Structures are given as C-alpha cells and as structure tokens.
Amino acid sequence: MLAPDTLPIPVSIPRPPRPLLRAAREAIADYSMIHPGDRVLLGLSGGKDSLSLLHVLRHLRDKAPVRFELGAATVDPGIEGFDPSFLKEYVPALGVRYFYRRHDIVGRALKTMRGNSFCAYCSRMRRGILYDTARKQGFNVLALAHHLDDLAESFLMSAFFGGRLHTMKAHYVNDAKDLRVIRPFIYVRERQTADFARRGNLPAIMDNCPACFRMPSQRMQIKSLLAQQEKTNKTIFSSLLTTIKPLIVDKIHY
C-alpha cells in the first residue's frame, strides 16, 4: 500500500480482484442490498476495507445490470495522527461524488462518555453524521465496509461480554425508517481487502483509527483469539458464518 501523501490522486484505477467482486456480488444478491435507482452513500474512513469497497462499488456501478448512483462520505473525528483529508482529491478523481465532514468526536467523548468503549462511542457518532449526510444529499442507502472478520468478532463479543446471540446485520432499515444500511463485504475476509490494498496500491491509512490502538479494546482481544484459533482450525470462519447467518437477516422488508 502507498502512503496517502505518496498517491493523493489515482494515476490508474485498479480493478478489484475477481474473488472480491464475486463475494460482494453474492452478498448483494443474497440480501437484496441494491435496487434499481438506489442512491448509495459509502461510509469511507480511508482504511483498506472502505477503500476496497469504494472500488468494488464503483466497478459494479459501471458494469452491473442494476443501475445505481454512488457517493462517498468521510467523517473526520479529529484524532491525532489520523488524517483522511487526501480523500478530498482521491475520491472525485474516481468519478464519485464526495462529502467530507469534520467533527471533534474525541473532544466530545472525553466530556460525555461514561463507561462505554471509545470505539463504540465513536462508531455511533460517525453513524449519526453519515445518516445526516445521506438525508441532506438525497441518498437512500448507506453502505458500510464491515467484513466477515468484523461480524465474527461482534458475534463473539456479544456472546462473551453481553450474554446474547447478536452480530451486525447484512441489510436493515434504520430506526427512523428512512434509510437502508447494507454491508456488501459480509462474505469477504479481512485478508482479502488487505491484499487488494497492497496489490492495487490503494492509499489506505494504516491503523485507520490510532485512538482504537491506544485504548484497550474487547474487539482486539477477540481478534487475537480468532487468529490463534484459525492456526489450528482453518475452517473456523466458514463455520462461524454458518452459525451467524440466521442472525444477520433483518425481519423488516426492505
């Protein structure tokens, strides 16, 4: 992967690898994620996962039989060492509408957060800002770049620390019932986005939220546990996918 200041504007646009496209297409079809005429806004952090999804959705927008519009939005949370501002040039150069919003989430967290993990707090705040951006700009679908590793980690965190069977949904309607939220990478492994980012020279921000790595995180504990288990059980993630499939379906009709 190239550093953001090395490649602010794409010289050539990399084509996502076939396995990555195939996994995204399968998830989109299985869960009816994109409908004809949808206006899809991607939550773009600048990390390897969301940049990979940006290129996948851009490819599908141009090549897939289902016609949809695509935009991207970044929420800059004001974290020291995290600077996604290069995306202001990078994304429009791909032919994708782009919105950049900066909010001092860290400052607000230090004043108001009580007992929650910072990552969870920041995620809720950013999601609200993305919802607001989608509404104001006329998008009806928000795309998020969570992958199978994320879903597996959330499932185990919920079981270990929350005492319930729960994980992220593949496709659901938000509480206000005015936006659909989709996760086209639910069948994708994290190593696939890392490989595409490296081979495609994507200007991904390494450790795209430094605050998460400075603060203790249950998610990091679970990630480490799964990595250890996968060394002796190569099918652990396919087994977990089978386990969580009933949990990722939203009962509300899209």
Side-chain angles (χ1 to χ4, degrees):
M1 290 179 283
L2 297 181
D5 57 354
T6 305
L7 185 64
I9 300 176
V11 176
S12 61
I13 299 174
R15 185 185 190 279
R18 289 181 181 178
L20 191 60
L21 285 170
R22 183 166 58 248
R25 284 194 187 105
E26 185 177 350
I28 289 169
D30 285 353
Y31 296 93
S32 301
M33 292 186 184
I34 298 179
H35 306 164
D38 274 346
R39 304 191 72 220
V40 180
L41 181 70
L42 168 65
L44 184 66
S45 69
K48 65 186 186 311
D49 304 325
S50 61
L51 275 173
S52 293
L53 185 54
L54 171 65
H55 284 276
V56 166
L57 290 176
R58 179 189 176 279
H59 178 88
L60 295 178
R61 179 198 65 180
D62 296 342
K63 304 293 185 181
V66 175
R67 311 310 298 170
F68 65 94
E69 296 181 39
L70 177 64
T74 296
V75 178
D76 181 350
I79 296 173
E80 182 182 357
F82 174 68
D83 182 13
S85 61
F86 72 95
L87 293 168
K88 295 177 184 178
E89 294 182 79
Y90 182 85
V91 179
L94 296 172
V96 175
R97 289 184 65 198
Y98 184 61
F99 310 94
Y100 189 93
R101 299 185 62 178
R102 194 176 195 281
H103 290 258
D104 186 15
I105 294 176
V106 175
R108 182 169 177 178
L110 293 174
K111 294 178 181 177
T112 64
M113 194 174 75
R114 296 291 183 272
N116 295 326
S117 87
F118 175 76
C119 290
Y121 181 92
C122 183
S123 177
R124 287 194 299 272
M125 292 292 296
R126 285 184 292 133
R127 186 73 54 83
I129 296 166
L130 288 172
Y131 283 169
D132 181 68
T133 303
R135 293 182 182 114
K136 288 180 176 177
Q137 301 298 330
F139 292 88
N140 66 310
V141 179
L142 176 65
L144 303 175
H146 298 112
H147 43 62
L148 178 55
D149 295 58
D150 292 321
L151 269 67
E153 292 160 15
S154 293
F155 172 69
L156 293 181
M157 286 172 61
S158 180
F160 288 3
F161 304 111
R164 63 192 184 118
L165 299 178
H166 178 77
T167 190
M168 303 173 186
K169 301 292 186 185
H171 182 185
Y172 67 95
V173 179
N174 68 333
D175 290 340
K177 304 294 188 292
D178 62 343
L179 294 169
R180 300 189 344 261
V181 181
I182 62 173
R183 293 185 168 99
F185 273 180
I186 58 168
Y187 296 157
V188 170
R189 292 297 310 278
E190 183 175 14
R191 60 180 176 233
Q192 290 179 272
T193 64
D195 183 67
F196 176 41
R198 182 178 64 254
R199 293 176 183 272
N201 286 329
L202 304 187
I205 300 172
M206 299 298 293
D207 298 345
N208 63 340
C209 181
C212 290
F213 290 85
R214 289 197 294 262
M215 301 181 185
S217 164
Q218 291 176 347
R219 183 170 294 276
M220 293 307 296
Q221 297 173 32
I222 296 297
K223 182 184 287 289
S224 177
L225 173 64
L226 283 168
Q228 289 297 319
Q229 291 298 313
E230 193 174 19
K231 290 179 181 179
T232 56
N233 180 4
K234 300 302 182 184
T235 63
I236 187 172
F237 278 90
S238 65
S239 295
L240 283 169
L241 177 59
T242 300
T243 302
I244 66 178
K245 271 193 172 182
L247 303 176
I248 65 179
V249 179
D250 191 78
K251 295 180 180 180
I252 298 175
H253 183 67
Y254 308 127

